[in-house]
Amino acid sequence: DEDNSFDERRIRENGCEGDITATLIWNSKHDLDLHCIDPNGEEIMYSHKKSRSGGVLDVDMNVGVTSMEPVENICWKKTPPNGKYQFAVRYFSRRDGNPGSVSYQLLISHGQNSKVINGVLNSIGEKQFVYEFNYPN
């Protein structure tokens, strides 16, 4: 069951879990990045890992050392602020000369809800906004 691989990878990398948790997985050495814009308009990403609202990108993989089973993870360890959350996935860089496209899966849990988004990134620099919701819902 696919939810297991989300949890297995997040736990393997000591990723946090909270009222809002977003876990991105893919199966290549390419570098994908998970982004979240919180209700204050602050963007959590590889170059800005902690927001004032308490969100943290605590697992950022395939930057230097590469894995064929990477994961990225953002969570709120304390109560998240109310409002709109927007999640995006970005194709940061390609590794090892494989063809361009990278398939990914993103699991987002908020409150009692959870959603898996399946997507494909085709070109370097491409950023897809894939899910948004209001918290609490």
Side-chain angles (χ1 to χ4, degrees):
D1 142 307
E2 58 190 24
D3 288 349
N4 281 343
S5 54
F6 287 105
D7 284 344
E8 277 168 23
R9 292 188 196 187
R10 183 180 50 74
I11 292 163
R12 180 192 75 204
E13 301 297 330
N14 299 310
C16 61
E17 208 174 5
D19 289 346
I20 296 174
T21 305
T23 307
L24 173 70
I25 63 173
W26 67 102
N27 296 313
S28 79
K29 291 182 178 177
H30 304 318
D31 186 7
L32 302 189
D33 286 318
L34 179 59
H35 292 240
C36 177
I37 299 174
D38 76 8
N40 305 320
E42 199 172 347
E43 188 162 5
I44 300 163
M45 56 190 280
Y46 61 91
S47 59
H48 184 74
K49 293 188 175 171
K50 289 186 177 156
S51 71
R52 290 183 293 279
S53 67
V56 56
L57 171 71
D58 68 343
V59 183
D60 181 15
M61 286 187 70
N62 283 6
V63 182
V65 176
T66 57
S67 166
M68 287 299 286
E69 292 187 344
V71 59
E72 301 224 338
N73 193 69
I74 292 175
C75 87
W76 270 257
K77 294 180 183 177
K78 57 180 201 233
T79 305
N82 293 354
K84 185 166 80 170
Y85 291 78
Q86 297 171 282
F87 288 86
V89 182
R90 182 163 179 250
Y91 193 162
F92 189 75
S93 67
R94 187 159 69 207
R95 301 267 196 268
D96 72 22
N98 282 343
S101 300
V102 182
S103 301
Y104 64 83
Q105 292 181 292
L106 177 60
L107 171 64
I108 298 179
S109 305
H110 51 106
Q112 298 304 306
N113 304 292
S114 67
K115 169 106 176 133
V116 174
I117 294 108
N118 295 295
V120 179
L121 288 161
N122 295 305
S123 57
I124 292 172
E126 182 181 358
K127 184 176 178 182
Q128 297 174 349
F129 279 89
V130 293
Y131 191 63
E132 65 177 53
F133 61 87
N134 284 298
Y135 182 89
N137 23 15

